[in-house]
Amino acid sequence: MDGANRETGLRNVGSHCSISDMDDYDLSRLLDKPRINIERKRSFDERSLSELSVGLGKMGLDNLDSSSPGYRSGFDTPASSARNSFEPHPMVAEAWDALRRSLVHFRDQPVGTIAAYDHASEEVLNYDQVFVRDFVPSALAFLMNGEPEIVKNFLLKTLQLQGWEKRIDRFKLGKGAMPASFKVLHDPVRKTDTIVADFGESAIGRVAPVDSGFWWIILLRAYTKSTGDLTLAETPECQKGMKLILTLCLSEGFDTFPTLLCADGCSMIDRRMGIYGYPIEIQALFFMALRCALQLLKHDAEGKECIERIVKRLHALSYHMRSYFWLDFQQLNDIYRYKTEEYSHTAVNKFNVIPDSIPEWVFDFMPTRGGYFIGNVSPARMDFRWFCLGNCVAILSSLATPEQSMAIMDLIEARWEELVGEMPLKIAYPAIESHEWRIVTGCDPKNTRWSYHNGGSWPVLLWLLTAACIKTGRPQIARRAIELAESRLLKDGWPEYYDGKLGRYVGKQARKHQTWSIAGYLVAKMMLEDPSHLGMISLEEDKQMKPLIKRSNSWSF
């Protein structure tokens, strides 16, 4: 590397889609714009992408065939920094060094990044493994920096692991299940490498990951969008892998809902937190993975059959989620006035939710303008908690309508202290306390109030917030959050999570040098500097998807 590149920790790559190429658009003006009113600006997807990057021209976000290979970050481009006021923060170089230290090699090929590089910790546990969900922000960072090989290696290696026979206590898992994580064992004597995969049999609670397969499909699309390389997704192995995942989650049973029924602890919230049933995180990822698969599946005989099933499910799922999982001031008031024990198709209170079950905090938390997708809806039960990942993925996948996307951003701004505080970003709000904590978590000592998954603050969520901000035309929110992170993250040693109502304290059991905290920061910075990167992780609204019926109809027919 030359001197300039050494300062940023980035490779010397061409800035194909850099903001420095723009002639008629100045991102610094966009970043400095004040928040706009209810009519607000169009979302990222509603505007022509050429407004943000000349490099992508008139190409749509979802047009895979015309993807421009090798998106690049312009961090080390003097013109980019000078013109758009993007001075590389000292943390960027440190973050890249830390990310590269976390690389895992299998037979001399990089295949992923370990969860945490914390030598000070007494117990390694499984933090020295490559987790599918944890690797996603690392993969996006490498893709944005023009280093797709590691991502390709990871996709192929996990695809091979999917083909393994998966037995847990004599019970065989479905063929489509992807591992939660894998570990590479090096034998220096024999000079051999061996991979050991975990499909849930070693996990806390012995819960198989439902989200790994979804993240794998989403990452395959990100790789394809970033590189313009369709050949990987079109290989028989990748096509088969996607179909196995889809067969597993599209199977029909006794469920009358289009949402996916799953166990507590099967997603990023990987411990008991009362999210069993239909958690928003899984439903949003399910929706996004289905939409990504639609773009990647070949239209052969077998592929068409799968595509037809996906389309039917998407229509039902989008209607169900937008109608029943959505909560705003008006909807909260409607639920508050529900009658119970209604029967027949004319019922308004379809899930027989008892109004007295609405927690007191939600009445003060809900702003007059703004809304969010709640945590869960199942018979007689609504989980009114806010979950960050599910709401951000809903925006990125266009599960949220443009109006709902704007309302989610309004809520984040209106409840900044509660959801962001001093360290982005609350994974869930509010925390479960006292007797409820004992019952729901089973007295989990790691999930005490305002800690870990129980209202803790997770820096990795910064990249999801930034992507959602850019898509909705509100990058100033992301900039404010990134500045908060930059004031603490490096100094605190890149913790896994923070504790306290405001996220003020390093988590009591948080690992240091947590890889996805590092990668999440890098991805957020690169996306804010070059918004065209959003194309690899965002999906435009599907115009053929049935629009949301007005609430007065959808809750009373």
Side-chain angles (χ1 to χ4, degrees):
M1 288 192 198
D2 57 27
N5 290 332
R6 222 173 275 119
E7 291 177 2
T8 60
L10 296 182
R11 284 177 21 172
N12 187 12
V13 292
S15 189
H16 184 77
C17 297
S18 171
I19 293 176
S20 61
D21 294 333
M22 299 183 193
D23 294 321
D24 58 356
Y25 198 89
D26 185 356
L27 186 65
S28 62
R29 291 205 307 270
L30 175 64
L31 294 174
D32 289 327
K33 281 188 177 180
R35 190 165 68 81
I36 309 172
N37 248 335
I38 191 76
E39 289 78 21
R40 273 180 304 276
K41 65 199 315 180
R42 294 163 292 160
S43 73
F44 186 99
D45 282 347
E46 291 178 284
R47 287 174 277 149
S48 167
L49 190 61
S50 60
E51 293 180 40
L52 287 170
S53 177
V54 172
L56 291 180
K58 296 179 180 178
M59 182 180 68
L61 277 175
D62 294 332
N63 186 355
L64 283 174
D65 292 331
S66 59
S67 288
S68 179
Y71 287 11
R72 297 291 189 265
S73 169
F75 266 126
D76 54 355
T77 311
S80 176
S81 295
R83 182 169 179 182
N84 296 291
S85 303
F86 276 106
E87 287 299 327
H89 194 280
M91 270 175 60
V92 172
E94 296 279 356
W96 273 109
D97 288 343
L99 182 60
R100 296 196 190 284
R101 281 198 302 271
S102 73
L103 282 169
V104 173
H105 292 78
F106 178 76
R107 295 173 186 171
D108 298 325
Q109 292 291 320
V111 292
T113 51
I114 59 172
Y117 198 80
D118 188 358
H119 291 307
S121 176
E122 294 178 3
E123 288 184 309
V124 176
L125 295 178
N126 54 3
Y127 283 81
D128 62 346
Q129 298 185 24
V130 179
F131 280 80
V132 173
R133 74 173 72 99
D134 290 40
F135 180 66
V136 171
S138 295
L140 295 176
F142 286 120
L143 287 174
M144 291 177 186
N145 197 42
E147 301 178 64
E149 276 306 304
I150 180 178
V151 183
K152 184 176 183 179
N153 294 341
F154 170 85
L155 289 167
L156 290 172
K157 187 52 61 182
T158 46
L159 192 59
Q160 288 178 350
L161 297 176
Q162 182 196 39
W164 287 12
E165 184 177 275
K166 301 170 276 285
R167 286 186 180 273
I168 300 178
D169 292 336
R170 301 182 182 181
F171 182 75
K172 192 173 180 180
L173 283 182
K175 290 182 179 179
M178 280 284 184
S181 63
F182 65 86
K183 183 174 183 177
V184 178
L185 301 176
H186 301 284
D187 187 333
V189 178
R190 297 181 180 178
K191 295 183 179 179
T192 58
D193 289 347
T194 309
I195 282 186
V196 178
D198 176 17
F199 291 90
E201 69 270 30
S202 300
I204 294 172
R206 300 301 186 263
V207 178
V210 175
D211 60 344
S212 288
F214 298 151
W215 279 122
W216 189 88
I217 293 174
I218 292 165
L219 187 55
L220 178 61
R221 176 190 175 270
Y223 170 85
T224 307
K225 286 287 292 182
S226 174
T227 62
D229 176 17
L230 291 164
T231 57
L232 178 62
E234 290 179 347
T235 59
E237 294 79 12
C238 281
Q239 291 289 310
K240 181 183 177 183
M242 279 190 286
K243 288 168 189 170
L244 285 174
I245 294 168
L246 296 169
T247 300
L248 190 63
C249 62
L250 291 173
S251 59
E252 296 166 345
F254 289 98
D255 211 322
T256 59
F257 309 147
T259 40
L260 194 64
L261 182 64
C262 52
D264 205 346
C266 67
S267 60
M268 178 183 173
I269 297 178
D270 57 12
R271 295 165 79 99
R272 184 174 165 186
M273 273 290 291
I275 62 168
Y276 52 85
Y278 310 91
I280 179 61
E281 295 202 353
I282 290 296
Q283 312 314 320
L285 284 170
F286 181 30
F287 182 87
M288 189 168 191
L290 290 177
R291 291 203 61 200
C292 289
L294 269 185
Q295 297 181 8
L296 299 170
L297 285 170
K298 295 172 74 173
H299 287 249
D300 52 21
E302 193 178 349
K304 283 184 178 179
E305 182 184 348
C306 197
I307 287 168
E308 287 175 6
R309 294 179 67 190
I310 290 172
V311 170
K312 288 179 182 177
R313 190 62 166 262
L314 280 172
H315 280 284
L317 184 60
S318 62
Y319 175 82
H320 185 91
M321 297 297 295
R322 291 169 181 175
S323 301
Y324 306 127
F325 274 67
W326 181 252
L327 190 71
D328 55 20
F329 183 84
Q330 182 58 52
Q331 182 56 27
L332 179 60
N333 205 159
D334 290 347
I335 297 170
Y336 176 70
R337 290 168 49 81
Y338 269 172
K339 292 180 175 64
T340 59
E341 302 299 326
E342 294 183 296
Y343 179 75
S344 87
H345 295 288
T346 61
V348 175
N349 185 0
K350 293 175 185 284
F351 301 99
N352 196 35
V353 174
I354 311 300
D356 285 347
S357 69
I358 303 173
E360 286 296 323
W361 65 264
V362 78
F363 292 104
D364 294 328
F365 178 73
M366 180 61 68
T368 305
R369 191 185 72 196
Y372 64 103
F373 286 100
I374 61 174
N376 211 331
V377 180
S378 55
R381 176 175 176 266
M382 295 182 80
D383 183 348
F384 290 89
R385 285 176 294 175
W386 148 273
F387 289 92
C388 180
L389 190 150
N391 276 275
C392 287
V393 171
I395 292 174
L396 295 176
S397 64
S398 289
L399 169 60
T401 65
E403 295 76 19
Q404 288 173 334
S405 296
M406 288 298 185
I408 292 170
M409 300 312 298
D410 285 340
L411 179 88
I412 291 172
E413 283 198 295
R415 297 292 175 256
W416 185 266
E417 287 298 303
E418 292 92 335
L419 302 179
V420 182
E422 295 185 20
M423 176 54 66
L425 193 65
K426 279 275 178 285
I427 189 170
Y429 180 89
I432 301 171
E433 303 184 62
S434 306
H435 181 65
E436 187 184 10
W437 166 78
R438 293 185 180 91
I439 297 299
V440 173
T441 74
C443 300
D444 186 350
K446 200 168 184 179
N447 270 332
T448 52
R449 62 179 187 172
W450 308 114
S451 180
Y452 200 48
H453 294 306
N454 191 9
S457 298
W458 292 68
V460 63
L461 296 169
L462 191 62
W463 80 264
L464 284 156
L465 174 66
T466 301
C469 288
I470 294 171
K471 183 172 181 180
T472 53
R474 313 273 278 274
Q476 71 278 3
I477 299 176
R479 175 198 262 178
R480 184 180 172 192
I482 289 172
E483 286 174 353
L484 278 175
E486 287 177 337
S487 70
R488 293 282 305 276
L489 267 183
L490 178 59
K491 181 178 69 175
D492 293 337
W494 306 100
E496 179 184 14
Y497 63 92
Y498 285 77
D499 285 355
K501 278 190 175 182
L502 298 177
R504 181 175 291 178
Y505 305 98
V506 174
K508 59 185 173 183
Q509 294 188 45
R511 289 299 193 280
K512 296 292 186 75
H513 300 281
Q514 186 79 16
T515 303
W516 68 354
S517 296
I518 296 162
Y521 166 71
L522 286 172
V523 171
K525 289 287 281 190
M526 286 191 278
M527 273 196 294
L528 200 57
E529 190 242 9
D530 185 350
S532 68
H533 289 314
L534 182 68
M536 69 175 78
I537 200 66
S538 175
L539 293 154
E540 290 185 275
E541 186 183 13
D542 186 348
K543 303 300 182 184
Q544 295 180 337
M545 203 78 73
K546 290 181 180 179
L548 177 69
I549 301 173
K550 292 185 183 297
R551 183 176 296 106
S552 58
N553 293 325
S554 68
W555 286 80
S556 60
F557 71 85

